[in-house]
Amino acid sequence: MIPRGAVIGVLGGGQLGRMLALAAYRLGYRVHIFAPEEGPATQVSPLRTLASYDDEPALLAFADRVDVVTCEFENVPARAAELLASRVPVRPGVLALATCQDRWLEKGLLASLDMPTAPWRAVRDEHDVARAVQEIGGPCILKTARLGYDGKGQARLASPDQARQAWEEIGGPSHRLGVVEGKVDFLWEGSQVLARGLDGQLAFYELVENRHERGILRETLAPAPRGSLALGEQARLLAARIADRLDIVGLLAVELFVLADGSLAVNELAARPHNSAHWTQDGARICQFEQLVRAIAGLPLGDPGLRGPTRMLNLLGEEILERDRWASTPGARLHDYGKDELLPGRKMGHVNLVQRG
Ligand code: AMP
C-alpha cells in the first residue's frame, strides 16, 4: 500500500492524465506528470517533468521522485517502462504495457487464450499483405502494428491487388510491421472495462455500446441498450481472463464486436483509462479514474455499480464551443480538457447525461 501523500507518477500529459490527477488529489495523493510537453494534465499538476520518453537521465530522476508509476499514454516505449520498473513499481506492469501497444503481441495473447477475434495475419511488407487478403478472403483492414489510434494507421482493402496502395497509405514502409484483419460484420460495438486491484480483486463496469464516426468514438451508452445478461457475462469472463493473464494492476478496457449469433469477438485492448468509460465519472458509483488510483495505491476497489443509465458524448473540435448549451442542459455534466488548440476531430471534452431512475 502506498501511504497518504505519496506521489503517483503518470506517464503522459493528456486528458486521461488530467482526470486521473484530479481523482488522485481528491484521495490525498500527489501526482507527478512525465510528458514530452505541456498539456491538459500539466495544467493541474505542479509536479512535472517535460522530457522525451527516451531521455534516460530524466526517467531515472522521475523514478526517484515518485512512489508508483502508471500511464495514461499507450505508447510509452518498453525500454522506458523497464527502466522505471527497475526502480519503482510500474502498474500495470511492463508486460501489459508492451502487449497493449503492439497488435502482434495483442493478437498473439488473445490466440493463446483461445479468444475469438477477427481472422488476422501478421505482415511485414506488401507481399505479405496481398497473401493475407487472399487467405482471409473478402474485405479486409490493414493496420499498423504500433502507434495507431482513433482509426489512424488503417486502410481498407477489397482485394489482394490493393495491397501496395494500402501498405503505402498506412505508412507501411516506415512502420514495417502490420496486421491484416478480415472485416467483421458486427451488429454493434461495445466495450468491457474492469479494474483489478493489487490483490487480484476485480470490479467490472457495465458492458457499454460505443458508436464511432470516422474511426473516432462519438458516444457511449451505458448500459448497452442491446446488451443482455448473457452478453454481459461473456464480456466479463473474457476481460477477467485477459486481466489475470497480464497480471494487470489498474484498468483494462476490452473493445468488442457483437456478432449476429450473440457471440463476441475481441477487437483491441487498453490497459489505461479509456474514453468508453468516461461515463463512469457521473454514471457509476466510483469512476474509472478513482478505481485506477485505488488499484495502484493498494486501496480496496470501489463500487462500480450504475447510478443511472448514462450517455457520454465526446465533444470534438469546435463542438467544445457549445459548452454554454451543455452547461444549461439539466442533467448534463460537462468535462472540458482545457485544450487551447481547436482541431477538427480533436477530443476537446465530453458530456455525461445521466438519467436518474
Ligand atoms: P481500432 O483502432 O482497431 O479500434 O479500429 C477503429 C474502428 O474501426 C473500430 O472501432 C471499428 O469500428 C473499425 N474496425 C476495426 N477493425 C475492424 C474489423 N476487423 N472489422 C470491422 N471493423 C473494424
Side-chain angles (χ1 to χ4, degrees), residues 103 118 141 143 151 154 156 181-184 186 189 212 255 257 267-268:
R103 293 189 198 269
I141 302 176
K143 302 180 181 180
Q154 301 194 6
R156 308 214 161 204
E181 291 178 14
K183 186 168 178 301
V184 176
F186 53 79
E189 289 186 81
H212 296 86
E255 293 182 31
F257 297 130
N267 176 25
E268 60 172 6

Side-chain angles (χ1 to χ4, degrees), residues 164-323:
R164 166 175 242 153
Q165 189 195 340
W167 184 243
E168 277 168 12
E169 205 177 302
I170 66 158
S174 55
H175 283 289
R176 294 189 301 282
L177 303 178
V179 296
V180 170
E181 291 178 14
K183 186 168 178 301
V184 176
D185 197 13
F186 53 79
L187 288 182
W188 53 277
E189 289 186 81
S191 55
Q192 175 65 58
V193 176
L194 64 71
R196 186 169 181 274
L198 203 49
D199 57 358
Q201 181 197 358
L202 295 171
F204 298 95
Y205 287 110
E206 294 283 339
L207 173 64
V208 298
E209 177 168 341
N210 298 318
R211 298 190 182 154
H212 296 86
E213 267 170 30
R214 287 181 292 276
I216 303 175
L217 184 64
R218 176 79 265 177
E219 62 176 350
T220 295
L221 302 170
R226 290 181 270 181
S228 65
L229 281 178
L231 274 180
E233 202 167 303
Q234 255 190 83
R236 287 192 294 276
L237 192 65
L238 290 172
R241 288 181 60 217
I242 298 167
D244 286 341
R245 171 65 75 87
L246 291 176
D247 199 16
I248 281 179
V249 176
L251 297 168
L252 175 71
V254 182
E255 293 182 31
L256 297 160
F257 297 130
V258 182
L259 311 181
D261 65 0
S263 68
L264 295 173
V266 178
N267 176 25
E268 60 172 6
L269 310 175
R272 55 164 172 79
H274 198 258
N275 195 170
S276 74
H278 287 359
W279 68 272
T280 63
Q281 291 171 303
D282 302 298
R285 298 198 185 283
I286 298 294
C287 78
Q288 63 165 341
F289 299 101
E290 179 168 339
Q291 296 286 29
L292 176 54
V293 174
R294 288 176 180 233
I296 64 178
L299 288 173
L301 298 180
D303 176 359
L306 192 72
R307 281 177 190 274
T310 304
R311 173 169 171 238
M312 188 284 312
L313 201 62
N314 269 338
L315 299 178
L316 306 174
E318 297 202 335
E319 289 166 7
I320 194 69
L321 302 177
E322 292 171 32
R323 57 204 295 283

Side-chain angles (χ1 to χ4, degrees), residues 64-86:
D64 289 343
R65 295 177 64 191
V66 302
D67 298 283
V68 62
V69 170
T70 190
C71 73
E72 67 97 64
F73 171 66
E74 189 114 276
N75 295 308
V76 173
R79 168 83 194 127
E82 279 161 13
L83 195 67
L84 293 170
S86 67

